[in-house]
Amino acid sequence: IIIFIISYIYLIFPLPVTPLILFNSIYFQELAFYLNILLILSSFFSVYKLINIIKLNLIIEKYIFSKLKKKIISINLNEFWRVFLLRIIIPIPLLNYYLAIKNYKLYSSLLATLLALIPYVFIITGTSKNMISDDLNLNFDYRYLILYIFYAISIFILSKLIQKIKSSKSKIE
């Protein structure tokens, strides 16, 4: 329980996440994947709520982002896909703060976070299990990469289908 609490606190701060995922994967072994996903989502939820409760998002928006006169991250996608793409590119804790400050929709962001980070956490967790096994063949398994690409494409296609269904329903009404 103490390691779980320390991991949670670690994730709230803008620190590198991969060493923590590796550590948890070695220590918790079979439960590591689920634990890491739970910790990442709960830390994002906590940071989001805390920033909005203390109104830090309004202060930063007023004094920093308004001075820039333009969007820092400008991607022409809906909010879900923007979060999904940014989760792949930007480190987890930094994006947690950005999404909270820019007041993205919480539940849509949580879902996009979950879907975007499943392959990353899965690959890191699987790799760390190879590190503690007796097998000295520690080559990267490229099937993970193929799985990730297939995963991203299938989510993209699914979202387009859902978008098409919603637009056809709105035309009927």
Side-chain angles (χ1 to χ4, degrees):
I1 294 178
I2 293 172
I3 292 175
F4 182 82
I5 293 169
I6 291 170
S7 297
Y8 171 77
I9 292 169
Y10 181 92
L11 282 170
I12 290 177
F13 295 105
L15 300 169
V17 174
T18 304
L20 178 73
I21 292 173
L22 285 171
F23 173 78
N24 284 344
S25 299
I26 292 168
Y27 189 79
F28 293 106
Q29 295 183 2
E30 296 304 318
L31 295 175
F33 173 76
Y34 304 107
L35 179 69
N36 285 324
I37 291 288
L38 177 68
L39 284 167
I40 290 168
L41 291 176
S42 61
S43 68
F44 171 55
F45 183 81
S46 300
V47 165
Y48 188 95
K49 287 297 189 181
L50 182 65
I51 285 176
N52 282 285
I53 286 171
I54 62 175
K55 304 295 185 202
L56 186 62
N57 57 338
L58 299 175
I59 295 167
I60 291 175
E61 187 73 39
K62 181 178 179 181
Y63 292 108
I64 296 175
F65 289 139
S66 67
K67 304 286 188 229
L68 294 175
K69 303 283 186 202
K70 62 179 180 176
K71 292 182 179 180
I72 289 179
I73 300 173
S74 180
I75 301 172
N76 192 18
L77 295 169
N78 69 27
E79 192 171 282
F80 175 85
W81 279 106
R82 195 174 309 133
V83 172
F84 184 86
L85 181 64
L86 293 174
R87 280 288 177 200
I88 295 171
I89 298 170
I90 298 176
I92 295 168
L94 296 177
L95 191 58
N96 286 350
Y97 288 106
Y98 177 78
L99 295 174
I101 290 167
K102 293 304 276 180
N103 214 12
Y104 276 65
K105 294 176 186 168
L106 178 60
Y107 296 107
S108 174
S109 297
L110 276 170
L111 181 61
T113 296
L114 174 67
L115 294 175
L117 292 180
I118 284 175
Y120 168 73
V121 173
F122 182 75
I123 289 170
I124 300 295
T125 303
T127 304
S128 66
K129 287 178 185 172
N130 287 341
M131 295 169 98
I132 60 172
S133 70
D134 292 335
D135 183 16
L136 296 178
N137 184 11
L138 299 177
N139 294 329
F140 179 76
D141 190 352
Y142 289 97
R143 289 179 295 176
Y144 289 136
L145 184 60
I146 294 168
L147 175 69
Y148 181 74
I149 291 169
F150 175 74
Y151 181 80
I153 291 170
S154 62
I155 290 174
F156 181 75
I157 291 170
L158 182 63
S159 75
K160 290 298 181 187
L161 287 173
I162 291 170
Q163 192 175 29
K164 194 176 240 184
I165 290 169
K166 284 183 179 179
S167 68
S168 66
K169 282 184 179 180
S170 65
K171 288 179 183 177
I172 292 173
E173 294 173 357

